[in-house]
Amino acid sequence: MGERQHTPAGAAGRAPSADRPEQIRNVVLVGHSGAGKTTIAETLALATGAINRAGRVQDGTTVSDYDEIEHRTQRSVQLSLVPLEHAGFKINLLDTPGYADFTGELRAGLRAADAALFVVPANEPIDGATRGLWDECAAVNMPRALLVTKLDAPQADFAATVERCREAFAPESPDSVLPLYLPLRWGDLGPDGERHVSGLVGLLSRHSYDYASGKRIERDIDAELAAEVDPAREQLIEAVITESEDESLMDRYLGGEAIDTKTVIDDLESAVARGHFHPVLAAMPPAEGSREGLGTAELLELITSAFPSPVEHPMPVPDGETGLACDPEGPLAAQVLKVTSDPYVGRLTLCRIFSGTLRPDGQVHVGEVDERVGALSSPFGKTLRPVAQAVAGDIVCVAKLSHGATEDTLSQPGRLVGLGHWDLPEPLLPVAITAHSKADEDKLSQALGRLCAEDPTLRLEQNQETHQLVLWCLGEAHADVLLDRLRGRFGVQIDTVDYVVPFRETIAAPTTARGRHVKQSGGHGQYAICEIQVEPLPTGSGFEFVDKVVGGAVPRQFIPSVEKGVRAQLARGVAAGFPVVDVRVTLLDGKAHSVDSSDAAFQTAGALALREAATGNVRLLEPVAEVHVLVPDDYVGNVLSDLSGRRGRVLGTEPVGSGGRTVVHAEVPELEIVRYAVDLRSLSHGGGSFTRAYARHEPLPESIATKVFKAAEK
């Protein structure tokens, strides 16, 4: 993360503040990469005066001016907070990455928010990942609205986009997804022969809103436009009344009574806040020289009037926890949304306050320790703007909090609270790394520790069988960002190497062998000879050592030495460097010297005997994973065919819920799914996910085993 700058309190771009939770709206922006989430955040920041027309606050920071990696790749890779003020409300916009590799950042945004705004381009289909996120929000009854963007893009069609949203997000209750406004095309014909979108018409107000001049001009609609608008208006009113908590309202409506607009609007806002109705709006960035983009005022009105305050949204409190509410006077309960580090400011912790009030210099319990809170600030791009306190419902940045990782809870000492964890995807793409030099090796451990604290979707493994250091990531882009941060932020040069699948070795057939370790170089020599029989055991049997020595050919004190040497060689492998499993080694005979025999000599002889027995007699075993693939029904055939091509055994399929998705159960060799996290995303157009778990080891086909042996020889 780049250098943080500080804006003095009271300067232009001062931090928005709220004294009560009722004044706060926490809204997460959800949508695939390129949908226009950051553009919407900048448009709202401009309309509310948070930035100037050049898109900057006084010190030159932009809304998205957050991470150098984002500037270089032109892609959001982390959660960013955009705090705004409008009509007496503080609005915390949580701009999330749209790329699947950064789902961890998105999940943190979902935990912090009280409502979700799904950003949908008017010229693109709705991808499977966005549908999955909608279902996640529905599972916790999070209020949702939809915002259609890119209305002037080629092939953009607002009406068709609304229908796609109804089919994708509410197939069983399509009238719970309806537009509040319709875009209007006014003005001169463009180069494409069409008039561009420059206004909206409100279905409930029956007023038009003209943005062509750069300002919002409200007018009554004429008879011709009314004839076009009224059918959609009636559909909207009926849908809202259906969701009304006033059961008599539907009877009055069906009886022909005209329901006044204020009653409909009140019921609409209530239905949105309860997560029962999902309005569709439209928006476009402002024209050059203007502060107000099309649909900006309408969107801000929806956020402040219909989206719930933190008081109305249920808290993520585990079962058994009592006495907590979104109350500034209550006990402190805050959760770490993300941790970052800055070379100039140090460690920064972004927190959502669920209960109580967080103040600078106060004591909190975080992780396993009590710690003093540092300065509080409201982040805006690279700028940190000081705040005096953060009340329940707010989101704030804490400086130099030494302990606590993402998902940890901050509570007051003596009144410990656990807010639990949110669901995170399992990282399934392995990236093996090594330090470039000894100096890098010394810095690597600390750097990886800090990265793991910042990113809960990163899993670090030191594989005991392959001796590789492996970063388990969500995808290639996730891996690239992690390696970039290691090199750029922490100054650690890293080399990536091929990931080694943890094969195992076993003996193919019973055999006998002799290990001879005899050396004489002056003084005490080394003398040990042993004869062993090696035979395979059934899968999962492990290792057995049997002593059948007679007549003291191997002195009793050296028999454990032979076993120790054999076990050490089993761990090192005998052919390709993988551990040897499922064998029985029987010590049959041997020879010793009264002076030169020793524990070390018989360990070496035992190892040599095992290696001799394994010559040309080794079979490789490969790990097999139990895989469960969740995909939209349209891609089940592709997945089944692909798994068969990976030597997989399909065990069955079953539908999941009513959302048109299926789980495919299969067993697949791990060698074939090293990059499945990437391949499945391409195969299912971003709509698929999978889990895997180790099942067992099975014999590796001879043709593949030969390649592994040749690679080991090199």
Side-chain angles (χ1 to χ4, degrees):
M1 186 170 60
E3 178 183 356
R4 290 276 184 172
Q5 303 172 36
H6 291 265
T7 300
R14 67 175 177 81
S17 61
D19 298 323
R20 299 292 304 169
E22 292 82 1
Q23 298 174 282
I24 299 172
R25 298 293 183 270
N26 296 312
V27 182
V28 62
L29 302 178
V30 180
H32 66 72
S33 184
K37 298 184 298 298
T38 301
T39 300
I40 288 300
E42 292 176 344
T43 299
L44 293 178
L46 180 62
T48 55
I51 59 177
N52 59 28
R53 292 182 181 179
R56 298 178 181 274
V57 295
Q58 188 182 44
D59 59 14
T61 300
T62 65
V63 170
S64 57
D65 197 2
Y66 198 77
D67 193 301
E68 60 274 11
I69 299 173
E70 295 181 321
H71 287 291
R72 188 168 61 253
T73 63
Q74 293 297 299
R75 177 171 58 197
S76 295
V77 302
Q78 59 186 348
L79 174 71
S80 59
L81 176 66
V82 184
L84 310 172
E85 272 185 321
H86 177 71
F89 292 90
K90 179 182 181 184
I91 302 172
N92 288 317
L93 285 182
L94 294 147
D95 187 10
T96 63
Y99 200 64
D101 281 18
F102 308 105
T103 304
E105 302 282 332
L106 169 61
R107 299 287 171 82
L110 290 174
R111 168 55 67 98
D114 302 306
L117 183 64
F118 278 72
V119 181
V120 181
N123 62 336
E124 299 177 26
I126 298 169
D127 66 338
T130 304
R131 297 186 190 196
L133 291 170
W134 182 276
D135 291 341
E136 283 188 35
C137 293
V140 296
N141 201 33
M142 176 177 281
R144 285 145 285 154
L146 297 110
L147 184 68
V148 179
T149 59
K150 302 188 178 181
L151 294 169
D152 272 346
Q155 287 81 49
D157 189 326
F158 179 81
T161 302
V162 171
E163 286 306 310
R164 287 197 295 268
C165 292
R166 286 156 58 87
E167 293 171 5
F169 301 137
E172 296 181 347
S173 55
D175 279 353
S176 66
V177 176
L178 288 173
L180 298 185
Y181 302 88
L182 299 180
L184 296 175
R185 295 181 180 271
W186 283 329
D188 298 330
L189 294 176
D192 56 1
E194 291 190 6
R195 292 181 173 86
H196 294 297
V197 176
S198 56
L200 299 171
V201 58
L203 295 183
L204 294 180
S205 67
R206 297 180 88 242
H207 288 178
S208 66
Y209 306 96
D210 185 359
Y211 285 85
S213 65
K215 293 183 179 181
R216 183 176 186 258
I217 300 174
E218 183 175 349
R219 301 188 180 95
D220 292 329
I221 60 174
D222 56 28
E224 182 180 353
L225 187 54
E228 181 181 341
V229 165
D230 283 348
R233 184 177 190 271
E234 290 302 315
Q235 184 183 16
L236 174 62
I237 291 175
E238 185 170 336
V240 171
I241 291 176
T242 301
E243 298 295 341
S244 175
E245 294 182 301
D246 181 356
E247 297 180 358
S248 68
L249 199 60
M250 177 59 74
D251 293 334
R252 290 160 51 197
Y253 176 74
L254 294 176
E257 180 180 339
I259 308 299
D260 66 278
T261 302
K262 183 182 183 305
T263 300
V264 175
I265 291 175
D266 289 344
D267 276 350
L268 168 68
E269 293 173 353
S270 175
V272 172
R274 288 183 284 116
H276 292 181
F277 184 76
H278 316 293
V280 184
L281 290 84
M284 291 175 59
E288 187 70 29
S290 173
R291 296 192 68 93
E292 197 166 20
L294 181 144
T296 304
E298 291 76 14
L299 178 56
L300 288 170
E301 182 182 9
L302 175 81
I303 290 173
T304 55
S305 300
F307 279 171
S309 72
V311 176
E312 301 169 275
H313 193 64
M315 291 181 60
V317 180
D319 292 339
E321 186 69 48
T322 59
L324 279 183
C326 188
D327 180 4
E329 304 302 323
L332 178 66
Q335 193 157 36
V336 177
L337 303 177
K338 65 177 297 175
V339 178
T340 59
S341 56
D342 184 275
Y344 301 94
V345 179
R347 184 181 171 101
L348 296 168
T349 306
L350 187 68
C351 301
R352 158 75 193 257
I353 317 299
F354 286 98
S355 173
T357 300
L358 186 65
R359 297 179 176 88
D361 299 324
Q363 287 283 339
V364 298
H365 182 88
V366 56
E368 302 295 330
V369 301
D370 292 344
E371 189 173 353
R372 184 173 295 279
V373 174
L376 303 183
S377 57
S378 179
F380 191 97
K382 286 195 301 184
T383 302
L384 293 174
R385 298 175 291 184
V387 296
Q389 63 179 24
V391 300
D394 210 349
I395 301 173
V396 70
C397 204
V398 183
K400 299 180 180 179
L401 196 64
S402 302
H403 297 83
T406 303
E407 297 185 293
D408 279 355
T409 300
L410 277 66
S411 55
Q412 61 192 48
R415 177 64 166 86
L416 306 186
V417 176
L419 291 175
H421 301 284
W422 53 84
D423 291 333
L424 289 170
E426 180 70 16
L428 295 169
L429 179 69
V431 178
I433 63 171
T434 59
H436 186 72
S437 66
K438 182 63 171 67
D440 294 312
E441 190 173 332
D442 295 338
K443 296 185 291 185
L444 180 58
S445 177
Q446 182 180 5
L448 288 174
R450 291 171 69 179
L451 275 185
C452 289
E454 295 178 11
D455 187 351
T457 61
L458 166 64
R459 180 162 61 88
L460 185 62
E461 177 191 15
Q462 181 71 60
N463 193 290
Q464 298 302 312
E465 295 186 14
T466 64
H467 309 293
Q468 283 190 314
L469 181 61
V470 182
L471 304 180
W472 286 89
C473 310
L474 294 178
E476 289 179 313
H478 187 209
D480 289 343
V481 167
L482 291 171
L483 296 177
D484 201 316
R485 285 177 177 160
L486 282 173
R487 295 171 181 135
R489 187 191 300 173
F490 300 107
V492 183
Q493 293 304 310
I494 294 297
D495 297 321
T496 57
V497 295
D498 290 338
Y499 171 72
V500 177
V501 173
F503 296 114
R504 292 176 185 170
E505 303 173 3
T506 193
I507 298 299
T511 186
T512 57
R514 189 169 189 255
R516 184 177 186 275
H517 182 61
V518 178
K519 289 187 178 180
Q520 187 68 45
S521 57
H524 283 298
Q526 300 180 54
Y527 190 96
I529 298 175
C530 63
E531 293 184 8
I532 63 172
Q533 181 185 45
V534 184
E535 52 192 320
L537 293 176
T539 300
S541 299
F543 168 66
E544 293 181 13
F545 183 82
V546 181
D547 170 22
K548 287 190 176 181
V549 174
V550 295
V554 177
R556 305 306 303 172
Q557 69 268 28
F558 294 135
I559 291 176
S561 303
V562 175
E563 181 179 357
K564 189 175 181 180
V566 168
R567 286 183 179 276
Q569 190 63 54
L570 289 172
R572 291 192 296 267
V574 292
F578 299 105
V580 182
V581 297
D582 301 332
V583 296
R584 177 188 292 124
V585 174
T586 303
L587 180 59
L588 302 173
D589 200 359
K591 292 182 180 180
H593 189 276
S594 59
V595 176
D596 293 341
S597 291
S598 65
D599 171 64
F602 270 98
Q603 284 190 47
T604 303
L608 290 172
L610 182 63
R611 288 164 60 184
E612 176 67 23
T615 302
N617 190 31
V618 174
R619 183 173 60 186
L620 279 182
L621 304 175
E622 64 174 339
V624 176
E626 184 178 313
V627 176
H628 306 281
V629 187
L630 176 63
V631 290
D633 292 344
D634 294 344
Y635 303 107
V636 171
N638 294 348
V639 168
L640 293 173
S641 176
D642 180 71
L643 290 175
S644 298
R646 296 174 186 269
R647 299 189 286 124
R649 292 187 291 272
V650 176
L651 304 179
T653 63
E654 60 178 309
V656 176
S658 58
R661 294 188 294 173
T662 296
V663 173
V664 178
H665 306 284
E667 291 181 343
V668 190
E670 289 192 10
L671 180 64
E672 304 291 343
I673 54 172
V674 171
R675 290 182 52 80
Y676 195 56
V678 177
D679 298 337
L680 176 62
R681 191 174 298 161
S682 174
L683 190 69
S684 62
H685 293 204
S689 62
F690 78 105
T691 61
R692 65 191 240 182
Y694 170 76
R696 61 189 172 276
H697 273 72
E698 291 183 352
L700 184 67
E702 195 64 33
S703 59
I704 302 176
T706 301
K707 297 178 182 178
V708 175
F709 286 134
K710 288 182 179 179
E713 291 174 3
K714 293 180 181 179

